[in-house]
Amino acid sequence: MRIESDFLVIGSGIAGLSYALQAADHGRVALVTKYDVSESATNYAQGGIASVISSEDSFDAHINDTMVAGAGICHEDVVRMVVEEGPQTIRNLIDWGVKFTTKGSSYDLTREGGHSARRILHAEDITGREIQRALVEAARNHKNITIHEHHIAIDLITSAKICNVPPCENRCLGAYVLDIKGKVVKTFSSQITLMASGGAGKVYLYTCNPDIASGDGVAMAYRAGATIANMEFMQFHPTTLFHPQGKSFLISEAVRGEGAILRRRDGTAFMEKYHKLKDLAPRDIVARAIDNEMKISGDDCVFLDITHEPADVVRNRFPNIYQTCLELGLDMTSEWLPVVPAAHYLCGGVAVNTNGETDLKALYAIGEVTFTGLHGANRLASNSLLEAAVYANRAYRHTVEAIKQLRQEAVEIPLWNSGTATNSDEMVVVSNNWDEIRRFMWNYVGIVRSDKRLARAMRRVELIQSEIEEYYWNVIITSDLIELRNIATVAQLIVACAQMRKESRGLHYTIDHPERDDVNCRHDTFIRKEF
C-alpha cells in the first residue's frame, strides 16, 4: 500500500504535533505514531516548560543557567535563539488551547534544579498531559492532517538506496512503515520527512520513559546516512519512585523546587556536600550523588522528604503525584518517598542545524531525537519542551519554502518487499537480546563508566548486532523486532561516543578520566555510518 503526502511526521509529542499543525496549512500531513496518538514522552512530562515570562527574570539569566548546566559545551548561539524565541512559543501553545496554571492574574511560575529564577510554566503537575490534550484535539480537527496510529516506522527511504544510475544525490523520500494491527508494511512517500520520534530510555534497564522510547528515530537516521552526535550524554532523572508497583513513576523535579530534601535512610540530608545549590543542583550532579550515597550505604534507594511543607499545599501543587503515590500506599505529606535515578532524557541524537535540518536532504528532525547544541553535556530542567516547540516553529518555516523545490523532483519509490522471509518460531531471540542489551547498558554504560566497562559493552553489542542482522532479514518483520534492532543500534552509538570522550563532563562520568578537560577534549562527538 502506498500513501502519499507533502509532509510525513514521525512522532506525536509536542514536537511532531506543533510542526504538523503549522505545516498542514500548506499541504497534506501524514502523522505516524507507534501507539495511540496521545502516547508520547510529552504526555508524561510533569514539571513544565521553561520560558522567560516574569519581569523579574531575564533572557541572559536563562541563557546563563542553561550554559552552566550544560558543562561548557552548549552552543551559545543556539541557547540564545531558543531562549529568546520561548515567549512566542508559549503564545502558540496557548492559542492551540493549552491551559497553564495561573495565580491570580498571572501564570503560576515555579522553579526547578539549575534555574536561578521561577520561570517554569506548568499545568498543575500534569503539564505534558495538558499540552498533549490540546495539540491532539487541534490536530484531529485539522482537515489536512491524517493520523496513522499503531504504525511503526521501519526505515527511511532514500534516493541513494533506490537509484539505479549512480551517482545519485542522496535525499529522503519517506519511510517504510509497519501497520502493527494490520500486519502490513506501507510505503509512505513525502516531499518532506520530519522525525519527532522522541528518545531512547528503553535502551536502559531502568527508565521513567514510556515503552515507545526505543530510539527509533536516531537508529533510522543513522542507517540512512545522517550524522549523529553526543550520544554519550544520557540524562538520568534523579528521582523516580522506588516501588515494585510504581513502574518507575517519575517524581518531578518541581517537588524539590518547592522545598523537598533528599535524605539517607537515617534522615541525613546529603546534597550540601555535593553542590552549593544542594537539592536544586543540576540533574547530573544529583543523580551521581544519589548513586554514590546508595553505594556507600548499600541501600536500594534514598528518600525525598517534603513532609515539612503544609499538607494542603503539597496536595494542591502536586495532585497527580500525590494521588498516584497514595494509591501505592505512600502519603507524601506525612512520609518520605523512596527514590532512585533512572534513564530519562537523551541529550544527543540526530545532528541538525537551527532549522531542524539534517545533513540528509529533505530529512528534518526536532525534539528529543535531535542534537541541536542546546543541552551540551546536561539538559537544564524543563528546557526539553521549550526546545521541541521552538524547533517545530523553525522547521515549519524552513520546510514550507524547501518543499517548493522538492515538488519538482519526482522519484518512483518501490513498495516494500519481504522476499523469502518467513514467520519466526524463535521469538526468544528477540526477548533475550532485548533484556541483555538493557542490562549491560545499565551496568556498564550507566551513571558511572570506565574504559573497561565500555569495551565490554561494545563487544557484547557488536555480537548481538550480528545476530539481529542475520535474524532480521530471514523473518517477517514485527514491531518487537524493529524495536530490538533500533535499541541495539542506539546502544552501539552511545558506547561509541562514550569511548571517544576521554574526560568526565556533565552526564558522562568515567573513573578512568575523572576530570573535565577543556584543553584536549572533543567539543562534540560526531558519528556517521560508512557506506
Side-chain angles (χ1 to χ4, degrees), residues 40 50 68 93-94 98-99 136 138 194 216 252 286 292 346 352 374-375 380 395 403 433 435 457 484 492 503 515:
S40 71
V68 169
L93 292 172
I94 293 170
V98 176
K99 294 179 174 62
V136 167
L194 180 121
D216 304 332
S252 171
V286 180
N292 189 54
L346 182 62
V352 297
L374 173 67
H375 305 306
L380 181 66
I403 199 172
N433 281 336
D435 184 63
L484 172 64
Q492 189 167 21
E503 63 163 349
E515 302 300 324

Side-chain angles (χ1 to χ4, degrees), residues 60-239:
D60 284 343
H62 191 180
I63 290 165
N64 184 66
D65 291 345
T66 301
M67 299 285 288
V68 169
I73 61 169
C74 295
H75 294 208
E76 187 171 359
D77 59 331
V78 172
V79 176
R80 183 167 295 278
M81 177 197 79
V82 172
V83 167
E84 291 182 351
E85 293 183 14
Q88 179 57 53
T89 294
I90 298 300
R91 286 191 286 273
N92 290 347
L93 292 172
I94 293 170
D95 288 344
W96 284 321
V98 176
K99 294 179 174 62
F100 293 110
T101 298
T102 56
K103 192 173 186 179
S105 59
S106 303
Y107 287 109
D108 180 36
L109 303 176
T110 189
R111 182 182 174 193
E112 296 180 351
H115 289 273
S116 59
R118 286 183 171 265
R119 64 169 66 99
I120 315 299
L121 291 102
H122 65 97
E124 294 184 333
D125 60 346
I126 51 168
T127 308
R129 191 186 305 175
E130 169 58 17
I131 292 173
Q132 192 78 24
R133 176 205 62 77
L135 297 186
V136 167
E137 186 175 310
R140 288 198 185 281
N141 290 329
H142 201 298
K143 61 182 178 62
N144 273 354
I145 298 176
T146 303
I147 299 172
H148 301 267
E149 295 177 298
H150 302 282
H151 282 61
I152 179 171
I154 303 168
D155 265 322
L156 296 171
I157 303 168
T158 62
S159 52
K161 290 181 181 178
I162 65 175
C163 183
N164 295 320
V165 188
C168 180
E169 181 189 25
N170 201 16
R171 169 192 158 192
C172 187
L173 304 169
Y176 291 117
V177 177
L178 174 66
D179 178 342
I180 298 172
K181 290 186 173 180
K183 297 182 179 180
V184 60
V185 176
K186 300 175 181 178
T187 302
F188 281 74
S189 63
S190 60
Q191 304 299 324
I192 296 288
T193 300
L194 180 121
M195 195 79 70
S197 53
K202 297 298 286 185
V203 174
Y204 286 89
L205 185 61
Y206 301 110
T207 179
C208 50
N209 284 183
D211 288 341
I212 57 172
S214 49
D216 304 332
V218 172
M220 285 190 294
Y222 174 71
R223 289 194 294 266
T227 298
I228 311 298
N230 284 25
M231 293 293 287
E232 69 270 34
F233 297 126
M234 171 62 79
Q235 186 177 77
F236 292 82
H237 197 288
T239 54

